[in-house]
Amino acid sequence: MTAEKKAEKKALRSRMVAWRKKIQPSLRQGMSQCILGRLFQMDAFRQAQTVFAYASMPDEVQLDALLKACLSQGKRIGIPEITGPGIMEAAELESMEDLVTGKFGIRSLAPEVLRIIPPEEIDLMIVPGAAFTRGGERLGLGGGYYDRFLPRADRACRIACIFEGQIVPEVPAEEHDQPVDYLVTEIGIVNCCKEHAAGRR
């Protein structure tokens, strides 16, 4: 990565995270409910048997209702588990009560309940990020975990549940950066594959 591109990514990431943190909690909760309402109507969610999501941080789109919906509907749900430097796996969540708050306020599973889901069994990936384009390009949060993990879950539909304000004209993407298939916001659903194809014409 060039120093210039690294600086561009850092600046955009900082700006978007700062913007996200300014959203009032009540507004964030309302927008989150709207976003999940749209997600629940999508065939990609309805047909998925195994879903990978994450226990959201306070400033992100709130996904606890998604985790609970998967559990109540009998879907298998995986959440991130960092198993080594730069390495992430999908740990099966069987109860919301199994979540524990660890370093940096991130909720994950206690070691005694860890069961890893093979990435090739995942049907739907909910992918976080700081910013996205309508063509699906993604600026992650800096760790590179998803860029390494997504190719391993190669049959999964990739959806970003984000606020509309996180959509930007372009991100400083590199060859290894992994795109998403859909953006779901409080305004609507963006089919990134169609947007990307339209941009090539």
Side-chain angles (χ1 to χ4, degrees):
M1 184 193 307
T2 66
E4 183 180 0
K5 184 147 286 192
K6 190 173 183 179
E8 286 177 16
K9 282 189 169 186
K10 185 177 181 180
L12 179 57
R13 185 180 295 118
S14 296
R15 189 169 79 246
M16 298 307 295
V17 171
W19 172 84
R20 203 169 63 184
K21 286 182 176 178
K22 290 179 182 176
I23 300 173
Q24 293 295 319
S26 58
L27 178 59
R28 181 183 295 111
Q29 195 60 44
M31 290 194 293
S32 296
Q33 289 174 0
C34 182
I35 290 164
L36 291 186
R38 296 183 192 281
L39 175 68
F40 293 154
Q41 297 301 312
M42 295 178 69
D43 287 342
F45 174 77
R46 289 179 168 181
Q47 296 169 6
Q49 295 300 307
T50 302
V51 178
F52 181 94
Y54 50 94
S56 43
M57 297 291 282
D59 61 315
E60 294 179 307
V61 172
Q62 297 300 291
L63 298 183
D64 279 20
L66 167 62
L67 303 181
K68 292 173 183 176
C70 289
L71 292 170
S72 68
Q73 293 176 28
K75 297 181 187 290
R76 188 163 55 156
I77 179 79
I79 63 171
E81 177 65 31
I82 307 306
T83 58
I87 302 172
M88 181 176 77
E89 299 291 350
E92 185 169 359
L93 177 68
E94 296 188 326
S95 168
M96 296 297 287
E97 294 177 0
D98 290 338
L99 289 172
V100 294
T101 302
K103 197 158 63 168
F104 308 119
I106 297 171
R107 291 177 294 159
S108 59
L109 293 172
E112 59 268 19
V113 296
L114 274 185
R115 183 184 294 115
I116 302 300
I117 297 173
E120 61 272 15
E121 295 180 12
I122 298 171
D123 302 309
L124 172 62
M125 289 273 305
I126 305 299
V127 183
F132 296 81
T133 69
R134 291 186 174 274
E137 291 178 312
R138 167 182 173 270
L139 175 66
L141 296 169
Y145 293 100
Y146 282 82
D147 290 323
R148 297 183 189 95
F149 186 79
L150 283 164
R152 298 171 58 206
D154 56 357
R155 72 183 185 89
C157 178
R158 306 171 177 184
I159 296 179
C161 292
I162 59 170
F163 303 116
E164 185 75 17
Q166 291 177 257
I167 301 178
V168 297
E170 60 180 354
V171 299
E174 296 178 274
E175 198 170 315
H176 66 268
D177 291 333
Q178 295 291 308
V180 297
D181 301 314
Y182 294 91
L183 308 177
V184 182
T185 81
E186 72 276 14
I187 302 297
I189 297 171
V190 178
N191 183 331
C192 300
C193 302
K194 285 185 178 179
E195 291 280 343
H196 193 63
R200 288 200 298 265
R201 287 203 292 271

